[in-house]
Amino acid sequence: MTAHWTTATDPDEVHDLLLASDRYVADRYGLPVPRRNAHSTRHLVDEGLVHMLRVDGAAAAVFTLTATPAFDVDLAIFPPAVRPAYLRRLAVRPERFADGELYGPACVRRAMEVAAAQGADALRAETNPDLVGVVRLLEAFGFERYGPVRTEGWMRQIYLACDLGRFAR
């Protein structure tokens, strides 16, 4: 098995992976399937912000790393940071869960490394607290929860952040 990271170039491939992952996760946790915006996917891919893990040439997992948040929350809930980065849209192709490989942790680790290499001193994320596996994954990498659980709309949200000082060069 050959695995390598690339910057995604095909928005349709990324969007397909996101939708497949969303359906799998929603089914697993008994939650509604999130609505994804193909235009947003195209924009993020065109900007070079989507990182893709390819395994034997096929898209296995993706995440998006940005300098601005995709969520609307008072950023004062987070510890101060000079240059935070934002982890978004982490997704694993459902068929890859049978591989026995840990693609989710690989994405989080890679996001931390890339963010630190780009000069970020903190990595922030938003997730649904009902996605217990995702929350545990982020916490295992040193993310801590900040602010209250938000309950507006159909999905609950929590906010997490990790100090990237340990990745400093």
Side-chain angles (χ1 to χ4, degrees), residues 18-167:
L18 285 168
L19 296 176
S21 180
D22 286 346
R23 285 189 299 272
Y24 176 82
V25 171
D27 184 54
R28 182 173 176 205
Y29 287 96
L31 297 169
V33 178
R35 290 190 180 134
R36 295 284 184 181
N37 183 327
H39 177 73
S40 294
T41 301
R42 179 168 302 285
H43 172 73
L44 293 166
V45 169
D46 289 348
E47 292 294 315
L49 301 172
V50 180
H51 302 261
M52 179 177 286
L53 179 60
R54 291 193 171 279
V55 176
D56 296 331
V62 295
F63 67 88
T64 300
L65 195 62
T66 64
T68 57
F71 47 82
D72 181 26
V73 67
D74 181 358
L75 298 179
I77 66 169
F78 295 110
V82 174
R83 191 171 176 205
Y86 295 87
L87 174 61
R88 303 167 48 185
R89 296 174 147 222
L90 190 154
V92 175
R93 183 158 299 283
E95 302 82 42
R96 291 297 178 178
F97 287 105
D99 290 0
E101 298 294 326
L102 301 175
Y103 297 105
C107 284
V108 175
R109 178 172 227 25
R110 179 70 175 183
M112 294 171 80
E113 292 169 349
V114 171
Q118 292 175 347
D121 56 345
L123 186 56
R124 297 172 176 171
E126 172 190 64
T127 193
N128 183 335
D130 299 323
L131 301 178
V132 177
V134 173
V135 175
R136 286 185 183 146
L137 169 62
L138 292 171
E139 289 175 340
F141 277 90
F143 282 76
E144 295 180 35
R145 297 181 197 200
Y146 294 96
V149 175
R150 291 183 60 186
T151 57
E152 305 90 39
W154 67 271
M155 183 181 86
R156 298 175 343 124
Q157 297 119 345
I158 59 170
Y159 303 91
L160 302 102
C162 179
D163 178 357
L164 293 176
R166 65 184 163 162
F167 286 95

